[in-house]
Amino acid sequence: AAVNLATTISLLRVCGVEEESNAIVEISLKISKAYANLKWSDKAGIGFQWCVDTALKIVEKDPCNENLALLGMCQQAKGQHHLMLGDGHMAYTWFSRALDTAKTVYGEKDPQIAVVTSDCATALDAVGNYKEAEKLLEK
């Protein structure tokens, strides 16, 4: 799958799609997730960081909700990667960023807020901060 997605990126680039585009970031995010699932942690980590960095550049140019939502997806995926690696503290950092981004895009009452809040609580639980995780979920 990663090879097919990488080929798609190459074709998009040949067709004139800029590297700093939502399409390239979304496909790169899928490649990074594929690497993570294959336990290729180094490649996955580099990919997730590239996605976050590039999404941030896109948001700096145009902070519309679509671009912010993509940034939030990248932040959440990076948090999931850290959680998978057993780094709950770093996972919580990235999930918190994703939660802030989601609140900006969707407001406080959107279902996505519950999803990312649950991710934050999972990361807190992973580092033994059970009471804080429980408080977060009670909100």
Side-chain angles (χ1 to χ4, degrees), residues 39-55:
K39 307 290 189 232
W40 296 351
S41 298
D42 290 342
K43 284 186 176 188
I46 291 166
F48 287 126
Q49 189 61 54
W50 183 88
C51 290
V52 168
D53 291 345
T54 305

Side-chain angles (χ1 to χ4, degrees), residues 4-5 8 11 18 26 34 42 53 63 67 77-78 83 124-125:
N4 290 337
L5 291 169
T8 302
L11 290 171
E18 292 182 29
E26 286 179 34
D42 290 342
D53 291 345
N67 295 342
K78 189 159 172 63
L83 193 60
L124 288 169
D125 183 67

Side-chain angles (χ1 to χ4, degrees), residues 117 121 124 129-139:
T117 300
L124 288 169
N129 198 340
Y130 310 114
K131 290 187 184 213
E132 191 67 27
E134 188 177 339
K135 276 191 225 176
L136 191 59
L137 291 174
E138 287 174 354
K139 285 185 181 180

Side-chain angles (χ1 to χ4, degrees), residues 2-131:
V3 173
N4 290 337
L5 291 169
T7 301
T8 302
I9 288 175
S10 296
L11 290 171
L12 287 170
R13 295 289 293 131
V14 167
C15 292
V17 175
E18 292 182 29
E19 186 174 71
E20 290 181 9
S21 71
N22 288 359
I24 300 291
V25 172
E26 286 179 34
I27 294 170
S28 296
L29 192 57
K30 290 176 183 174
I31 292 170
S32 299
K33 287 178 180 181
Y35 287 157
N37 288 335
L38 292 168
K39 307 290 189 232
W40 296 351
S41 298
D42 290 342
K43 284 186 176 188
I46 291 166
F48 287 126
Q49 189 61 54
W50 183 88
C51 290
V52 168
D53 291 345
T54 305
L56 277 169
K57 289 177 188 174
I58 293 169
V59 167
E60 286 172 5
K61 290 178 186 174
D62 181 8
C64 69
N65 277 352
E66 178 183 342
N67 295 342
L68 283 165
L70 178 60
L71 173 61
M73 285 174 36
C74 294
Q75 293 166 328
Q76 186 177 13
K78 189 159 172 63
Q80 289 165 346
H81 179 63
H82 281 288
L83 193 60
M84 187 179 80
L85 294 175
D87 188 352
H89 291 287
M90 191 57 73
Y92 179 76
T93 297
W94 284 102
F95 288 145
S96 293
R97 291 175 185 174
L99 182 59
D100 290 343
T101 302
K103 286 178 180 178
T104 299
V105 174
Y106 304 111
E108 296 282 337
K109 302 292 183 187
D110 192 86
Q112 183 63 21
I113 302 305
V115 170
V116 185
T117 300
S118 175
D119 287 341
C120 287
T122 300
L124 288 169
D125 183 67
V127 297
N129 198 340
Y130 310 114
K131 290 187 184 213

